[in-house]
Amino acid sequence: MKFSNSSILVFFVFIIYPLGALPLIIIEIYNKKNYAFNYLAVFMGLFAYLWIPSGDLSRIQEDFDIIKTKEFLDLFSVISLDYMYNVILYIFGRLNLDFAFVRFSICIISYLFYFEIIKKIILKNKNISSSRLISFLVFLIIFFLMRFAGYLTGVRFTLATSLFLYGFFNVIYNSNKNGWYYVISACLVHFSFWIPFLVMLFNKLLKFSFS
């Protein structure tokens, strides 16, 4: 694999001083270098790692402290419909990792899903992809529309939202059946997504019956 001089520079600056690499990352995104999105996702993950738990996040940390002491089969006795999220907490707990690593990992994953959607939106629209400036402005608009506090805390709704939107985009716009796996995963992470899942399924069944 061949690396450009700019990508090597971003890598070393990011390792030494992540905040100092941010301008370089933004420039690379403007230049339509997709690898830069990965660095930006990790950068946001670092913010999530440093975020001080409060409110709903502190309650989830309490759940984390309880779940990591349980046996795996005991997870299903916990009164919760968010089974997949409990499994995630259990795995991190069994690895003796701090709750901050949960926030770090989930924040990165969530942003990566969002960035994949952004890249596909730009790629599928020639009026956008033909211009670096327009592509960059579309990225900025979508990026700043994200709820920073939610994504930095890495709570289950955040992860479920990114999974659902990624799956929705693939099913509806790319006609990719694999997107259903992401949609169902979102439902297992947060129970509230069963309703939009049923709406999506009903819509697909109606289209199928009319064809």
Side-chain angles (χ1 to χ4, degrees):
M1 183 180 295
K2 187 177 181 180
F3 297 97
S4 64
N5 292 334
S6 58
S7 65
I8 295 173
L9 175 63
V10 170
F11 173 78
F12 282 107
V13 175
F14 190 85
I15 294 297
I16 298 170
Y17 183 44
L19 185 60
L22 184 59
L24 300 176
I25 293 170
I26 298 302
I27 291 172
E28 287 294 83
I29 291 176
Y30 175 82
N31 290 328
K32 304 176 74 171
K33 301 297 178 65
N34 287 337
Y35 80 89
F37 286 101
N38 299 331
Y39 282 102
L40 185 57
V42 176
F43 182 83
M44 300 307 295
L46 291 173
F47 269 117
Y49 181 88
L50 297 173
W51 194 276
I52 299 175
S54 61
D56 187 50
L57 185 60
S58 60
R59 182 182 61 79
I60 295 174
Q61 181 161 6
E62 293 175 359
D63 294 340
F64 173 74
D65 293 333
I66 295 172
I67 289 174
K68 70 180 182 180
T69 62
K70 293 183 174 292
E71 296 298 327
F72 181 76
L73 293 178
D74 292 336
L75 294 179
F76 300 96
S77 65
V78 177
I79 303 176
S80 173
L81 296 175
D82 310 325
Y83 293 116
M84 185 176 290
Y85 194 77
N86 289 339
V87 170
I88 293 172
L89 295 181
Y90 174 82
I91 293 173
F92 276 86
R94 284 296 181 174
L95 292 174
N96 290 321
L97 294 174
D98 189 80
F99 183 60
F101 284 100
V102 178
R103 303 196 302 271
F104 174 74
S105 302
I106 290 180
C107 183
I108 291 175
I109 293 170
S110 299
Y111 268 103
L112 286 175
F113 277 123
Y114 253 120
F115 291 156
E116 282 299 313
I117 296 173
I118 293 174
K119 288 186 286 185
K120 288 180 179 180
I121 290 174
I122 293 173
L123 185 63
K124 289 174 70 71
N125 193 317
K126 292 183 179 179
N127 293 327
I128 298 175
S129 60
S130 61
S131 169
R132 285 185 182 181
L133 178 60
I134 295 176
S135 298
F136 184 67
L137 290 176
V138 169
F139 156 72
L140 289 179
I141 291 171
I142 299 177
F143 180 76
F144 285 110
L145 283 176
M146 299 177 194
R147 183 172 168 266
F148 280 103
Y151 276 85
L152 291 180
T153 53
V155 294
R156 58 187 180 274
F157 187 80
T158 297
L159 177 60
T161 301
S162 60
L163 283 168
F164 183 85
L165 290 178
Y166 184 76
F168 177 86
F169 185 86
N170 278 280
V171 171
I172 302 300
Y173 293 100
N174 288 345
S175 299
N176 187 342
K177 294 181 179 179
N178 290 332
W180 287 108
Y181 294 113
Y182 295 97
V183 172
I184 295 174
S185 296
C187 299
L188 294 175
V189 171
H190 199 287
F191 70 93
S192 64
F193 285 90
W194 283 111
I195 296 176
F197 163 73
L198 292 175
V199 172
M200 279 183 63
L201 184 61
F202 184 67
N203 178 63
K204 279 293 183 180
L205 290 175
L206 276 181
K207 287 185 177 180
F208 177 77
S209 62
F210 290 147
S211 61

